[in-house]
Amino acid sequence: MPTLVLIAAIGLVGGVLSGLFGIGGGLVIVPALILLAGFPIATAAGTSLAALLLPVGALGALEYYRAGHVDVRAAAIIAVGLLIGAYFGARIGTSLPPEVAQRAFGIFLLLVGARLALFA
């Protein structure tokens, strides 16, 4: 089991980046749990989802809302999609061999990073 300090640091960094860029679970917490804490990908994904259940963006979203930067209707529609999509994604993710899931995740991150870096 990784140290609690390492786990807390992953959460803190994920929270800061979530507040800055709206990211956290998939782009910060899951890779950190895999690379730094040695979690298998399915455990990293499940742990990230469990951690995000309640606190996900509550205070950060409130600050963005106060500044007039939240589309409540769009957020509600996305939330429904997340609810349904997370269920099906978890079903698929827990059935894949770990090597396949980890490679697919790495390719996804590369594609997103390339798109953001090259076509901003």
Side-chain angles (χ1 to χ4, degrees):
M1 175 72 178
T3 68
L4 295 179
V5 173
L6 175 61
I7 299 296
I10 290 170
L12 180 62
V13 171
V16 169
L17 292 174
S18 179
L20 283 172
F21 305 122
I23 62 170
L27 292 175
V28 177
I29 295 171
V30 172
L33 288 175
I34 292 168
L35 299 173
L36 301 177
F39 281 35
I41 188 163
T43 305
T47 301
S48 176
L49 284 173
L52 294 168
L53 276 176
L54 293 176
V56 70
L59 294 177
L62 181 60
E63 286 303 309
Y64 278 105
Y65 178 80
R66 287 181 180 159
H69 296 295
V70 173
D71 183 325
V72 175
R73 188 175 83 167
I77 293 167
I78 292 168
V80 171
L82 286 170
L83 178 70
I84 296 166
Y87 170 76
F88 287 108
R91 297 278 311 250
I92 294 166
T94 57
S95 69
L96 290 175
E99 301 81 21
V100 172
Q102 188 165 323
R103 284 192 182 105
F105 183 56
I107 291 167
F108 169 75
L109 291 176
L110 285 171
L111 292 173
V112 170
R115 172 64 172 89
L116 289 172
L118 299 174
F119 303 106

